[in-house]
């Protein structure tokens, strides 16, 4: 029985699946967007987002912790050029984003076998989507209502002038 096992096996053995996801993640990091099927894109999103989080936290920590995170990511990707790119340009660009580093855009069906196709891309590297939106404030909001209270403003008394006379 497979109760509680939500991982998509993609019709492959474990070794084939790990190698495929590692290769796809390296391609995504290198090219910033790739076209694939919807199922593979969703599996890749679950695979690559924790790695991006590890690369992002590396910049805020000591050298020892940074080396550890690089080794953990390298054990998943197995490509030193992709790890260098991830910990360099990608981590710098997504440094202030609290998650959601990738975007999946559905493209339609493939001609040969009618498979659902999608484009998966790194969100901060698409200048067309981000061009129209103004930069958001980087303030974090609490779920508890402990924010600033608005001070009550005293009402201003209205005075009648000669121009306001009723006709």
């Amino acid at each position: 029985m497979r109760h509680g096992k939500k991982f998509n096996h993609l019709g492959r053995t474990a070794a084939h699946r790990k190698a495929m996801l590692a290769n796809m993640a390296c391609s995504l990091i290198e090219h910033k967007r790739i076209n694939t099927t919807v199922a593979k894109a969703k599996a890749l999103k679950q695979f690559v987002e924790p790695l991006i989080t590890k690369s992002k936290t590396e910049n805020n920590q000591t050298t020892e912790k940074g080396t550890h995170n690089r080794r953990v990511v390298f054990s998943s990707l197995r490509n030193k050029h992709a790890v260098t790119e991830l910990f360099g340009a990608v981590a710098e660009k997504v440094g202030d984003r609290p998650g959601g580093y990738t975007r999946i855009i559905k493209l339609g069906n493939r001609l040969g076998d009618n498979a659902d196709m999608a484009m998966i891309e790194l969100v901060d590297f698409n200048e067309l989507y981000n061009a129209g939106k103004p930069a958001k404030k980087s303030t974090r909001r609490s779920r508890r209502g402990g924010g600033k209270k608005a001070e009550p403003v005293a009402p201003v008394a209205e005075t009648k002038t000669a121009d306001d006379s009723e006709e």
Side-chain angles (χ1 to χ4, degrees), residues 86-156:
L86 178 64
F87 278 77
V90 176
E92 198 175 297
K93 199 110 177 195
V94 301
D96 57 343
R97 182 176 288 277
Y101 311 111
T102 57
R103 175 188 296 132
I104 296 175
I105 301 171
K106 295 185 180 178
L107 299 176
N109 295 340
R110 188 161 51 196
L111 287 176
D113 59 354
N114 207 30
D116 289 333
M117 296 298 289
M119 176 176 65
I120 182 167
E121 65 182 3
L122 296 175
V123 172
D124 291 319
F125 287 90
N126 188 343
E127 301 302 326
L128 296 177
Y129 264 56
N130 301 335
K133 298 177 184 172
K136 283 189 171 181
K137 296 179 188 175
S138 62
T139 58
R140 305 258 328 209
R141 294 195 179 120
S142 172
R143 290 186 180 215
R144 299 183 296 168
K148 290 183 182 177
K149 304 272 186 192
E151 295 181 15
V153 178
V156 177

Side-chain angles (χ1 to χ4, degrees), residues 7-74:
F7 187 76
N8 190 351
H9 297 288
L10 300 173
R12 286 161 172 79
T13 61
H16 185 185
R17 187 172 52 251
K18 287 177 187 174
M20 182 190 66
L21 288 174
N23 289 333
M24 288 174 66
C26 291
S27 296
L28 178 66
I29 291 166
E30 181 184 350
H31 299 292
K32 310 303 185 249
R33 77 172 53 132
I34 57 173
N35 290 340
T36 182
T37 62
V38 173
K40 286 181 189 173
K42 288 179 179 178
L44 178 61
K45 184 172 188 159
Q46 289 179 342
F47 180 82
V48 79
E49 291 216 356
L51 301 180
I52 296 173
T53 302
K54 285 190 187 310
S55 73
K56 183 177 78 167
T57 58
E58 183 263 347
N59 295 331
N60 303 328
Q61 295 175 348
T62 62
T63 307
E64 294 81 22
K65 298 256 184 180
T67 304
H68 174 70
N69 282 334
R70 280 182 185 266
R71 288 176 176 167
V72 169
V73 170
F74 182 76

